[in-house]
Amino acid sequence: AQSVAQPEDQVNVAEGNPLTVKCTYSVSGNPYLFWYVQYPNRGLQFLLKYITGDNLVKGSYGFEAEFNKSQTSFHLKKPSALVSDSALYFCAVRDRSGGYNKLIFGAGTRLAVHP
Amino acid sequence: EPEVTQTPSHQVTQMGQEVILRCVPISNHLYFYWYRQILGQKVEFLVSFYNNEISEKSEIFDDQFSVERPDGSNFTLKIRSTKLEDSAMYFCASPRGGGREETQYFGPGTRLLVL
């Protein structure tokens, strides 16, 4: 079965510093990986995805993610954090075992960016 | 980001009552997904619905749940007899792009509280 793991419940970063939110995956076949962000009392907003091609994927709001096949990781990064980046971040993997594209989510990582 | 809308934003109901949650997906889409997020937990897949039929469902999606497309523009998730453990955020997701390029865009969610 496809799965993703987010090893950190919370990440604390000072504004202006680089941030990394970690995600590792376990899949059979090619991995299709996604990052979503959830602001308080809001839905999930799509940030970026890896399907194939370049290992460094660029997404919304200055975020990027690095796909590493040997380490089975897909960490989310941003060179300079903003206070407004504070939110809940979810890594997800596509699972086609049922014939359709359902997403399997990690437990989420809360990012807190301090002024 | 494409707009997916959901109504109501909040619903409070008594245990045993029926609730209907509504979703208006990206226009002209024939299929969509429902997910739920129990407070503080991960987002979980419930069901996918394609061309007026359930295409895949999870173990959570038992006989108390049903999905319909009552007209051409919206989809519903019905819980026939709510239980306390049905309290959660319910999200619908509308896909854009086909095949491996598919990206799911989520609505803002309906927060259901069962008393």
Side-chain angles (χ1 to χ4, degrees):
Chain A
Q2 321 288 56
S3 66
V4 291
Q6 295 180 245
E8 304 154 315
D9 291 334
Q10 178 149 337
V11 171
N12 297 298
V13 178
E15 187 174 31
N17 282 0
L19 69 86
T20 298
V21 182
K22 296 180 180 177
C23 173
T24 58
Y25 65 88
S26 174
V27 303
S28 55
N30 294 321
Y32 298 128
L33 299 161
F34 301 78
W35 276 102
Y36 286 83
V37 59
Q38 184 180 32
Y39 296 100
N41 300 314
R42 301 282 294 276
L44 298 164
Q45 293 182 35
F46 168 72
L47 281 178
L48 49 79
K49 67 183 178 185
Y50 174 81
I51 303 300
T52 187
D54 289 342
N55 290 341
L56 187 64
V57 179
K58 294 189 182 298
S60 306
Y61 313 121
F63 284 93
E64 57 190 28
E66 185 171 10
F67 173 71
N68 188 316
K69 188 174 182 178
S70 63
Q71 297 185 3
T72 61
S73 67
F74 187 56
H75 300 334
L76 182 70
K77 300 181 179 184
K78 188 173 183 181
S80 179
L82 300 173
V83 173
S84 57
D85 292 330
S86 298
L88 191 55
Y89 290 81
F90 290 97
C91 181
V93 64
R94 179 182 294 161
D95 183 347
R96 282 190 58 83
S97 59
Y100 292 86
N101 291 330
K102 65 178 181 283
L103 294 175
I104 306 300
F105 286 86
T109 298
R110 188 165 300 282
L111 173 67
V113 182
H114 306 284
Chain B
E1 181 165 307
E3 187 172 12
V4 180
T5 59
Q6 290 185 246
T7 57
S9 59
H10 295 77
Q11 181 149 1
V12 181
T13 190
Q14 296 292 321
M15 189 170 57
Q17 294 298 304
E18 175 184 283
V19 296
I20 298 176
L21 312 181
R22 292 181 169 81
C23 171
V24 180
I26 297 171
S27 60
N28 301 320
H29 274 199
L30 294 178
Y31 72 111
F32 70 100
Y33 304 81
W34 283 99
Y35 295 81
R36 80 171 185 190
Q37 182 185 30
I38 294 174
L39 185 62
Q41 298 186 24
K42 69 169 67 175
V43 178
E44 302 172 290
F45 168 75
L46 286 177
V47 65
S48 58
F49 188 78
Y50 176 70
N51 205 21
N52 295 322
E53 290 185 356
I54 291 175
S55 49
E56 186 177 6
K57 61 183 181 180
S58 71
E59 295 176 350
I60 303 168
F61 195 88
D62 62 21
D63 292 343
Q64 293 301 312
F65 291 88
S66 63
V67 288
E68 291 182 356
R69 188 182 180 200
D71 60 47
S73 62
N74 73 91
F75 298 83
T76 61
L77 174 69
K78 182 190 295 186
I79 309 175
R80 267 182 273 278
S81 179
T82 50
K83 303 187 286 285
L84 295 177
E85 53 265 38
D86 294 328
S87 296
M89 280 288 284
Y90 288 83
F91 297 105
C92 68
S94 190
R96 172 170 276 192
R100 69 178 189 177
E101 293 299 327
E102 179 186 294
T103 298
Q104 293 181 28
Y105 291 92
F106 285 74
T110 294
R111 184 176 296 280
L112 176 65
L113 178 60
V114 182
L115 301 176

